[in-house]
Every structure is written in structure tokens, then in C-alpha cells.
Amino acid sequence: MSVGELGRAVELLVRQVGHWQQPRWAATAAGGNVSRADLVHRLVQEIANRAADAEGGPRRTVPRLDNDLALPDQLRVVAADLVAAAPPPEVLARAAAEVTATREVL
């Protein structure tokens, strides 16, 4: 898994949700019992955890901002942090798979 493939997966998800307004974020994700916003925030936290692990630093809670419209930007930031940490290819592969899986249930 290359950095480019993770970047592509993130960009596809951001393009899918980047124009959403609050009601769409608040809707329940397909086949689940959480909102779309909660699902994407969970993904953001997981990517942030992977970046912290790759850096050898402590995991930190990603703040849940009041405005769900910031979620695509949060995803871009934590994905960039993961890439900057230069993790092994399997970490990038798992992260890309999580992004793709999240995108499919939105």
C-alpha cells in the first residue's frame, strides 16, 4: 500500500461528504445505529491512533467539534499525520481499508 493509495481513499471520502450539511451528517449510517458524523469521527480517531503508534507517541483524543462540517478537514489532517510518521506499508493498508469501509456505509 502506497501513500498515494491512502491519499486517494481519503480524497474519495472527502469528495463524497465534503458538501454535506448538518442534517445529512446527523442521519444514521447505513446498516448501523450511529450517525454518519459519529462514524466519520470514529474513523478520524482510529487514523490518529495509528499515527500516534507509528510515531511512538501517546494516543490522544481527537476533539469532537461542535460543527460536523469540520470532519473532512479533520480526516485530512490525521491522514497527513499518519503519512508523515512513515509507518510500515501494512499500517497504510489497514488505514486505507478503514477509510474505504467507512465510505461504503455512508
Side-chain angles (χ1 to χ4, degrees):
M1 175 62 60
S2 72
V3 169
E5 290 170 307
L6 174 60
R8 173 97 172 119
V10 168
E11 202 51 41
L12 286 171
L13 192 147
V14 167
R15 279 191 218 157
Q16 179 178 340
V17 303
H19 63 281
W20 287 3
Q21 295 301 313
Q22 192 58 43
R24 203 153 179 196
W25 281 109
T28 302
N33 59 357
V34 298
S35 73
R36 291 168 168 168
D38 289 340
L39 187 67
V40 173
H41 184 263
R42 188 179 308 154
L43 172 66
V44 167
Q45 183 64 59
E46 188 57 37
I47 301 294
N49 290 345
R50 290 187 188 284
D53 293 347
E55 293 169 347
R59 290 182 172 188
R60 294 185 176 91
T61 302
V62 176
R64 183 72 162 88
L65 303 176
D66 292 335
N67 190 343
D68 293 332
L69 303 180
L71 285 166
D73 290 331
Q74 283 186 304
L75 178 60
R76 282 184 174 131
V77 168
V78 297
D81 289 345
L82 178 59
V83 168
E90 58 271 9
V91 172
L92 292 173
R94 284 193 301 268
E98 289 170 359
V99 172
T100 300
T102 299
R103 185 172 169 254
E104 290 171 357
V105 296
L106 290 174

